[in-house]
Amino acid sequence: MGRLVIIGEDGETIDEWPLEGLRLADEIHREGQPVRLAHSDRGEARLTFESQEILRALGEVPGAGRKWSWGKRIAVYAGIAVAALGIIIGAAIAVLPWAADRLSLLVPAGLEDAAGVGIMAAIAARYPECRSHRGEAALASLARRLAAGHRATGNTFRNPVRVRVFRSKIPNAFTAPGGHIGIFAGLFRHARTPGELAGVLAHEMGHAALRHPEKSILRRAGLGLIFAAMTGDAAELAAWAGKLTRNLLNLSFTREAELEADREAIAMLAGAGIRPDGLSRFLGRIARRAPGMAEGGYFSTHPAARDRVAAMSALTKPAGPSRSGPAMTQAEWESIRGICANTGSW
């Protein structure tokens, strides 16, 4: 049986492909098109030849004599049309941020959740996750209460909110796609009251409710993710989630997004019956007394603190804090602050 012998630059035989089982990997539809060959016994391996002379040398290869069908032509023309549409959409995203916001709705909720799971796994690989039954229960109870307050405003989360705590002195919190929220335990050392912690968590939940991580991803990813979303290609979307995970560890939002999340947080806190001024008190105090926190801390990913404090103060004054109650009991607060007590040394 004939074989196609593959010889390297040093003259040594690299491999031998039997002619039986050899086929075209791609149809030939124009002169000068490179020839790509595949083999039934070689899996995903491909041989590429710049000249079509190889076909005449090999004789008959399955697929070589096929015409480029009208079905294929239509498919290619449709692909060109989709590509053109994608270019238009990409240009729109460059000049109109709202285009990315609308297109983000095309990404399935399950893919958003998968991206969030990947990010949280990457964080856990660097920082141990704090596990304490009482602390986790108290934190989950606060998140449920805030979610109920969000529903009271007539809004719902696309994915359920899940909060995890990581052992680190970094005073920070972040929101990943799919409703995943992470808190570094250093934040508990700077939040003086349950209301301040509730304000920070409500702000992060505001990002999740408004889908800021997903929108930011789409703006960064460009056409590749747009095409995947338009075609519903789950494998490609998952691949994009993996590519973006490392960048999302340092994800930051625009000043407008931060202000939007603050407004969402105030409405959420009010709906949950919690004093809405906790976040503004927390940010205001830290901005005055610990400006060094901006280096790798909460302000590094939450900019324009003074503007935000002023905006939140204006929103909370009319309602007044006296109509609301505490965010949690003192026992719950102590459980959350000690959530990392049994997670190794600092």
Side-chain angles (χ1 to χ4, degrees):
M1 179 174 61
R3 291 178 174 271
L4 178 60
V5 181
I6 304 167
I7 301 174
E9 294 181 356
D10 57 1
E12 296 292 328
T13 298
I14 298 175
D15 197 0
E16 296 184 9
W17 286 22
L19 295 185
E20 184 177 347
L22 200 64
R23 60 180 174 79
L24 279 181
D26 302 310
E27 287 188 343
I28 303 297
H29 53 80
R30 61 178 172 82
E31 293 293 333
Q33 176 182 332
V35 176
R36 297 178 71 240
L37 297 178
H39 197 283
S40 58
D41 295 334
R42 294 299 188 273
E44 297 298 320
R46 298 290 185 270
L47 291 176
T48 302
F49 299 86
E50 294 299 325
S51 172
Q52 296 180 11
E53 291 293 326
I54 185 65
L55 296 178
R56 285 184 278 275
L58 293 174
E60 184 168 345
V61 176
R66 288 184 293 180
K67 301 294 184 181
W68 195 26
S69 67
W70 279 106
K72 289 290 184 181
R73 292 176 187 270
I74 293 172
V76 171
Y77 295 151
I80 293 172
V82 171
L85 179 60
I87 292 171
I88 294 172
I89 293 173
I93 286 178
V95 296
L96 297 173
W98 57 261
D101 298 351
R102 303 301 186 273
L103 287 169
S104 69
L105 296 173
L106 295 175
V107 181
L111 262 304
E112 294 175 358
D113 178 57
V117 168
I119 292 167
M120 299 308 261
I123 291 287
R126 295 169 57 181
Y127 304 99
E129 184 177 357
C130 298
R131 306 306 302 266
S132 162
H133 176 71
R134 289 185 178 180
E136 291 177 88
L139 197 56
S141 177
L142 176 60
R144 286 194 298 270
R145 185 175 173 186
L146 290 171
H150 188 252
R151 287 194 296 274
T153 67
N155 299 316
T156 58
F157 290 95
R158 196 178 191 197
N159 284 288
V161 173
R162 286 145 293 182
V163 185
R164 294 166 67 178
V165 178
F166 300 95
R167 180 171 61 81
S168 171
K169 293 181 179 180
I170 300 172
N172 209 348
F174 63 92
T175 307
H180 293 272
I181 294 174
I183 298 176
F184 291 116
L187 190 69
F188 300 147
R189 299 186 175 188
H190 293 272
R192 290 184 175 177
T193 66
E196 291 184 3
L197 175 61
V200 171
L201 181 56
H203 174 82
E204 299 303 327
M205 290 175 66
H207 280 309
L210 296 167
R211 305 182 67 255
H212 286 154
E214 292 81 358
K215 295 171 184 178
S216 182
I217 289 172
L218 190 58
R219 293 193 187 105
R220 291 187 180 199
L223 291 177
L225 187 56
I226 292 171
F227 283 133
M230 289 173 62
T231 58
D233 188 337
E236 185 67 16
L237 284 167
W240 273 105
K243 293 175 186 177
L244 292 164
T245 293
R246 284 193 296 271
N247 291 333
L248 287 171
L249 298 182
N250 299 311
L251 181 67
S252 60
F253 301 118
T254 64
R255 176 180 178 276
E256 291 73 18
E258 295 297 341
L259 293 172
E260 286 178 354
D262 288 340
R263 289 192 292 269
E264 196 78 6
I266 290 172
M268 201 180 304
L269 290 162
I274 299 173
R275 287 183 53 157
D277 59 347
L279 179 60
S280 62
R281 286 188 287 111
F282 171 75
L283 290 178
R285 187 183 68 258
I286 296 302
R288 292 190 303 271
R289 300 185 181 181
M293 280 181 63
E295 297 296 328
Y298 196 74
F299 291 151
S300 66
T301 52
H302 297 75
R306 285 183 171 80
D307 290 345
R308 291 172 56 203
V309 169
M312 282 187 283
S313 297
L315 287 174
T316 55
K317 281 180 181 178
S322 60
R323 297 183 181 181
S324 302
M328 65 187 73
T329 67
Q330 186 64 27
E332 289 174 322
W333 174 233
E334 294 299 330
S335 296
I336 291 175
R337 286 172 61 86
I339 198 170
C340 290
N342 298 321
T343 317
S345 62
W346 291 87

